[in-house]
Amino acid sequence: MDGITLGRTSLLCTLLLWTLEVCSGAVTVKVAPKVEVLKDETAKLPCTYTVSPSSSNTVVDWYMEKQGSRKRVAFRSQGGEGKSDEDSPLFGRVTIGEDFALTISSVTPSDELLYYCQVTAGPAGVGEASTMLKVFFAPGKPELTKPSTQAISVGETTSSEISACETKNGHPQPRIIWFKDDQPLPEVKDKKEKTYMIPSVVKEASGLFTIKSTLYMQPTKADKDSVFQCTVEYTMPGDQIKQKQSDSITINLNYPSETATFTLLNTDPVKEGDAVTMKCETDGNPQPDFEFTKNGEPATGQGGLLMLKSVSRTDAGVYMCTAIDFDNLDADLSGKITLAVHYIDPVTVTPVEPQVVMLGDKVEWQCKTKASAQHTVHWKKGSEVLSQDGTLSIQDVSYDKAGEYMCVGAVPSVPGLTAHASVNLTVKGKPVIETPAAGEVGKEGDMVTLECSAYGSPAPQFTWTPSGKQSVSVKDNKVVSIMTLQATAEVMKDGVTCEVSNEHGRDSKTFLVSLKRAIDNSANRADQQQGGSSGVVIAVVVCVLLLLLLVALIYFLNKKSKLPCGKKDKKEVASGEVNNDIVVEMKTEKANEEAGLLNKRPSTEQ
């Protein structure tokens, strides 16, 4: 019964501490049950009181309670000055104001205590109330550290250390939560379990807490890609629960191999000249040693890679990869790749020699090749495709057919697999001049430049009549002669003749020379004159139409008798009712003209 009574008494005292009023005799003291403050900031603990009957000899004392004993830190009498006790741990950081509130500056975690405001009012008695000061400080970001030991092996009978999580300088004491793949792990401290944590708490000299938690597990193969991290959870003023998260880590886990894969890393079909990479790997860790063979013969690889540089068709075949894992000798760790190397043979052209034919003759070539898959053969000149069956036949050869032709063989199913050969065609015959372009000058006597282009083989010789300054060049299959001379009266009249000749014949054309600007100016003047005449005609037509409209309007109003003329009529209109009709007043100095227009006698009043 004594224990029950003591428990009830403690509960009652606790409830009294959380009330805003504590009554003792005739003195009533009011304080805040709890004051919250961040470390290094200033805390203010309010205290008010009432005394009945009133007393002029009142003293307020503030006490701090530490380890069950009280110690005064400051006091103030009514109407007096506040003072702090020199032997107090808060001396130099504590003041008591006129409102009897206790102010503590640069608060530290050690200031988190129970504080009593005690009021002594002489005959009225003594009253007090307590305030709990709570100090908060956010801890640092948690840091993860891995153990210095080697990789963890699957199948061990004891739990292995995964990582340690540590957070520093928090208040009040925070707690650490572990996560695996974003899921929280139950907080287990029993070392008999497969997964457990070992926590440790250090209270620094500053009063702040450093928390550490070490995670132990017996991982399985399913944990090889698992991500671990920890979170520190802490409280802040206003019952706020906050968190800070660490970086994430994975574990280095050893586990036996069960299967092997042998993969060709080339994404496109392999063709001659390509570099080929084949990769062999198992689902275990670490990877075992590998052996490679081609068609049963040993092949040299490096680690799990077999690399072939600039392959040819002879590199095609069956490649094998084999591994042995001593932690799982029963597993079949092998793989096979059948490598196909595509190829195309060099194209052969018949006849292979450059062809020289006479103008108007016929020429033909044949092109053939072989490949590892269905292929195409076509003839091209530049970007133009001329044939797709391997035969190129040109009837009635002209000069523009001369040049280089290319036969291209390709395997459409293998990008980039092509072969080609080229032949040249030369066309001989008498020269032919292209249609000449006329020359133009600003005035007689200016210099004019003319261009004469001719086909022919052998290259023709040029003769200009009359002659001037000449230059000759070759463009594609034609020869071009550029002549610059003065546009004399004779040149303007008869033009300039370009004659070409070779061993097969000759050709000539006359180039005319004209005055470009004179023609343009005459045309402009004619256009201006025509434009001016047109403007005058349009103006006259518009004026006639407006005059006709005016006459028609006057005639219409006259017929309707709505057009009063003269002063008498004007007065009658002004004095009479308008009746919503339109009234038109016209004034003229000549009554006879007015009468003529309106077909009425002229007014006698002037």
Side-chain angles (χ1 to χ4, degrees), residues 24 33 42 93 157 160 172 224 388 408 429 472 479 495 504 538 589:
S24 178
T42 299
R93 296 192 293 119
T157 57
S160 301
K224 62 185 180 66
Q388 298 185 10
V408 179
V472 179
V479 183
H504 299 291
I538 293 173
E589 295 179 356

Side-chain angles (χ1 to χ4, degrees), residues 109 137-143 145 164-176 198-214 232-234:
F137 193 71
K141 177 183 175 179
E143 301 288 340
T145 55
C165 175
E166 184 178 57
T167 181
K168 297 181 179 180
N169 300 326
H171 198 276
Q173 180 178 325
R175 77 184 188 106
I176 290 175
I198 297 181
S200 65
V201 180
V202 176
K203 189 173 184 179
E204 309 290 349
S206 62
L208 300 176
F209 292 95
T210 293
I211 308 297
K212 185 177 182 180
S213 175
T214 304
V232 58
E233 187 178 85
Y234 58 97

Side-chain angles (χ1 to χ4, degrees), residues 400-415:
D400 61 341
K401 304 299 183 183
E404 183 182 61
Y405 292 81
M406 183 173 290
C407 175
V408 179
V411 179
S413 61
V414 183

Side-chain angles (χ1 to χ4, degrees), residues 102-168:
L102 185 68
T103 301
I104 306 173
S105 61
S106 302
V107 172
T108 66
S110 60
D111 297 333
E112 185 173 281
L113 298 168
L114 195 62
Y115 292 84
Y116 290 88
C117 177
Q118 186 181 84
V119 180
T120 303
V126 179
E128 68 176 27
S130 62
T131 294
M132 184 66 196
L133 178 62
K134 301 290 292 182
V135 181
F136 297 87
F137 193 71
K141 177 183 175 179
E143 301 288 340
L144 288 178
T145 55
K146 285 186 176 183
S148 58
T149 56
Q150 300 298 321
I152 302 170
S153 297
V154 170
E156 294 184 355
T157 57
T158 58
S159 296
S160 301
E161 180 181 343
I162 303 300
S163 180
C165 175
E166 184 178 57
T167 181
K168 297 181 179 180

Side-chain angles (χ1 to χ4, degrees), residues 11-22 31-36 114 130 132 134 239:
L11 178 61
L12 179 61
C13 291
T14 301
L15 292 174
L16 289 175
L17 289 175
W18 282 87
T19 60
L20 295 176
E21 287 191 5
V22 177
V31 297
K34 179 174 65 175
V35 174
E36 297 178 327
L114 195 62
S130 62
M132 184 66 196
K134 301 290 292 182
D239 295 327

Side-chain angles (χ1 to χ4, degrees), residues 36 38 136 233-243:
E36 297 178 327
L38 297 177
F136 297 87
E233 187 178 85
Y234 58 97
T235 58
M236 293 298 282
D239 295 327
Q240 298 181 78
I241 304 298
K242 295 191 174 183
Q243 293 182 338

Side-chain angles (χ1 to χ4, degrees), residues 31-349:
V31 297
K34 179 174 65 175
V35 174
E36 297 178 327
V37 65
L38 297 177
K39 176 181 174 293
D40 297 326
E41 292 189 355
T42 299
K44 185 173 182 179
L45 284 61
C47 177
T48 60
Y49 63 88
T50 58
V51 177
S52 179
S54 61
S55 172
S56 60
N57 186 21
T58 303
V59 178
V60 176
D61 298 292
W62 273 97
Y63 293 88
M64 61 185 297
E65 184 177 86
K66 189 174 184 179
Q67 296 178 352
S69 63
R70 292 188 185 184
K71 185 170 185 62
R72 192 176 69 175
V73 295
F75 61 92
R76 187 182 190 117
S77 61
Q78 186 176 2
E81 294 183 358
K83 297 182 179 180
S84 60
D85 293 274
E86 295 183 359
D87 61 346
S88 165
L90 301 181
F91 182 73
R93 296 192 293 119
V94 66
T95 59
I96 183 171
E98 293 181 357
D99 57 354
F100 302 106
L102 185 68
T103 301
I104 306 173
S105 61
S106 302
V107 172
T108 66
S110 60
D111 297 333
E112 185 173 281
L113 298 168
L114 195 62
Y115 292 84
Y116 290 88
C117 177
Q118 186 181 84
V119 180
T120 303
V126 179
E128 68 176 27
S130 62
T131 294
M132 184 66 196
L133 178 62
K134 301 290 292 182
V135 181
F136 297 87
F137 193 71
K141 177 183 175 179
E143 301 288 340
L144 288 178
T145 55
K146 285 186 176 183
S148 58
T149 56
Q150 300 298 321
I152 302 170
S153 297
V154 170
E156 294 184 355
T157 57
T158 58
S159 296
S160 301
E161 180 181 343
I162 303 300
S163 180
C165 175
E166 184 178 57
T167 181
K168 297 181 179 180
N169 300 326
H171 198 276
Q173 180 178 325
R175 77 184 188 106
I176 290 175
I177 304 172
W178 280 98
F179 286 82
K180 185 182 95 169
D181 297 329
D182 295 326
Q183 297 298 318
L185 296 176
E187 189 173 355
V188 178
K189 299 180 181 179
D190 188 354
K191 295 183 180 180
K192 295 179 181 179
E193 299 293 331
K194 291 184 177 181
T195 300
Y196 61 90
M197 301 89 176
I198 297 181
S200 65
V201 180
V202 176
K203 189 173 184 179
E204 309 290 349
S206 62
L208 300 176
F209 292 95
T210 293
I211 308 297
K212 185 177 182 180
S213 175
T214 304
L215 175 64
Y216 289 83
M217 286 182 63
Q218 291 183 25
T220 64
K221 186 177 179 179
D223 296 319
K224 62 185 180 66
D225 297 319
S226 293
V227 177
F228 295 86
Q229 58 189 165
C230 67
T231 295
V232 58
E233 187 178 85
Y234 58 97
T235 58
M236 293 298 282
D239 295 327
Q240 298 181 78
I241 304 298
K242 295 191 174 183
Q243 293 182 338
K244 289 184 179 180
Q245 199 171 59
S246 72
D247 296 331
S248 59
I249 63 168
T250 57
I251 57 176
N252 186 11
L253 192 62
N254 287 347
Y255 45 91
S257 303
E258 296 177 359
T259 60
T261 56
F262 195 23
T263 308
L264 176 64
L265 299 186
N266 297 60
T267 55
D268 293 329
V270 177
K271 62 182 182 295
E272 287 190 319
D274 285 349
V276 173
T277 302
M278 292 171 274
K279 183 178 182 180
C280 190
E281 61 183 344
T282 69
D283 60 348
N285 188 51
Q287 293 290 298
D289 293 331
F290 298 97
E291 294 180 354
F292 298 97
T293 62
K294 177 202 171 186
N295 297 331
E297 298 295 326
T300 302
Q302 184 176 2
L305 296 178
L306 178 60
M307 294 179 289
L308 308 176
K309 296 181 180 180
S310 189
V311 296
S312 65
R313 65 195 71 183
T314 59
D315 292 313
V318 178
Y319 290 82
M320 291 284 296
C321 161
T322 306
I324 297 177
D325 190 336
F326 292 100
D327 291 329
N328 188 6
L329 294 174
D330 296 333
D332 179 16
L333 305 178
S334 62
K336 180 175 68 172
I337 292 176
T338 300
L339 179 65
V341 179
H342 293 278
Y343 63 88
I344 186 170
D345 288 341
V347 294
T348 57
V349 177

Side-chain angles (χ1 to χ4, degrees), residues 527-575:
D527 291 341
Q528 291 174 0
Q529 291 175 0
Q530 184 178 359
S533 300
S534 300
V536 172
V537 172
I538 293 173
V540 171
V541 171
V542 171
C543 291
V544 171
L545 290 175
L546 290 175
L547 183 58
L548 290 174
L549 286 173
L550 179 60
V551 172
L553 177 62
I554 294 173
Y555 177 77
F556 175 76
L557 294 176
N558 181 42
K559 284 292 186 181
K560 293 294 184 179
S561 299
K562 296 299 182 179
L563 185 60
C565 295
K567 294 180 179 179
K568 182 179 180 180
D569 295 335
K570 179 179 177 182
K571 290 179 180 179
E572 290 175 358
V573 172
S575 62

